[in-house]
Amino acid sequence: FVYSTLNHLKYALANGDSGIVRTLEAPLYLARAQGGKLYALDREARVRVVAIDAAEIQFKLALHAQQFDQVLRTIRRSKLQGNAIIAYLQHKGFPQVALQFVTDDQVRFDLALACGQLGVALEAAGRLNTPPNWQRLAAEALRHGDATVVEMCYQKTKDFERLSFLYLITGNHAKLAKMLKIAEARGDALSRFHNALYLGDARERAQVLREAGQGALARVCAAAHGLDDLVAEMEAEAGGAPAPPLPCGAPTLLAPPRA
């Protein structure tokens, strides 16, 4: 529905959208609209023919009817580009449509996350290569259960703690072992202990405690898991002092699942 005010030609659609088609130099009384032209009378009762650009109206009507092919054709043939149209598509819940004609990598990344297209988001994130984008992609991939994309994001941001926990919950024993070696090469005792804990490697845990100067805890850990040879070594280092008594009976070691 197209109507006129004192200074503007405006439109109103059945879905509640409205907007300005163009400004008017003088008031007009509309009679008919056809083929991109408006036929009207001015205040002197003269017939006026006004050309209008109905691309925005056609675009919104097609979107409301979910005629996405027509939406894309209208966008590509007209000047309906820019942030306003992208924002409108997002507001109406159609970010996947905006994604078809957006070229800016950051905007493509945001739209791809909004519509759950992780492949497109991954390509854009690779070109942008910034930690905040990798972190956002990792969070969204977690929600989708895509462990491969999550792993790649954590590797890009060198988020070793989350990467180790990802391998734990996915049962990837081999990569957990690699994370243990990486932690040792980095000289990160806490990460090394966590990975040993995830792996169920009591000997490595006792060794980390031993190297950290926690001799008593190291001997308790070794004794609790039946590592008699390691207990003997540490008792010898401690001048023959026995390991502290265990507070309970035989422990049960819980090992992580294997992939």
Side-chain angles (χ1 to χ4, degrees), residues 144-218:
H144 286 261
D146 193 329
T148 302
V149 174
V150 176
E151 178 186 11
M152 185 180 300
C153 294
Y154 288 164
Q155 288 172 345
K156 291 289 186 180
T157 56
K158 293 183 171 57
D159 197 336
F160 297 112
E161 290 185 11
R162 285 188 171 89
L163 197 55
S164 292
F165 194 74
L166 175 69
Y167 294 147
L168 171 67
I169 62 177
T170 55
N172 199 323
H173 198 270
K175 289 189 176 180
L176 265 178
K178 289 182 181 179
M179 293 303 297
L180 178 59
K181 292 180 180 178
I182 291 172
E184 186 174 1
R186 290 167 50 226
D188 189 336
L190 184 59
S191 178
R192 186 179 165 193
F193 186 87
H194 282 163
N195 282 288
L197 186 64
Y198 296 156
L199 285 164
D201 190 340
R203 181 177 292 275
E204 183 67 21
R205 296 208 310 273
Q207 189 62 34
V208 173
L209 292 169
R210 182 183 182 184
E211 293 174 7
Q214 300 293 330
L217 287 176

Side-chain angles (χ1 to χ4, degrees), residues 42-54:
D42 61 17
R43 286 185 169 176
E44 284 73 35
R46 291 177 298 186
V47 175
R48 303 288 294 272
V49 179
V50 181
I52 61 171
D53 182 1

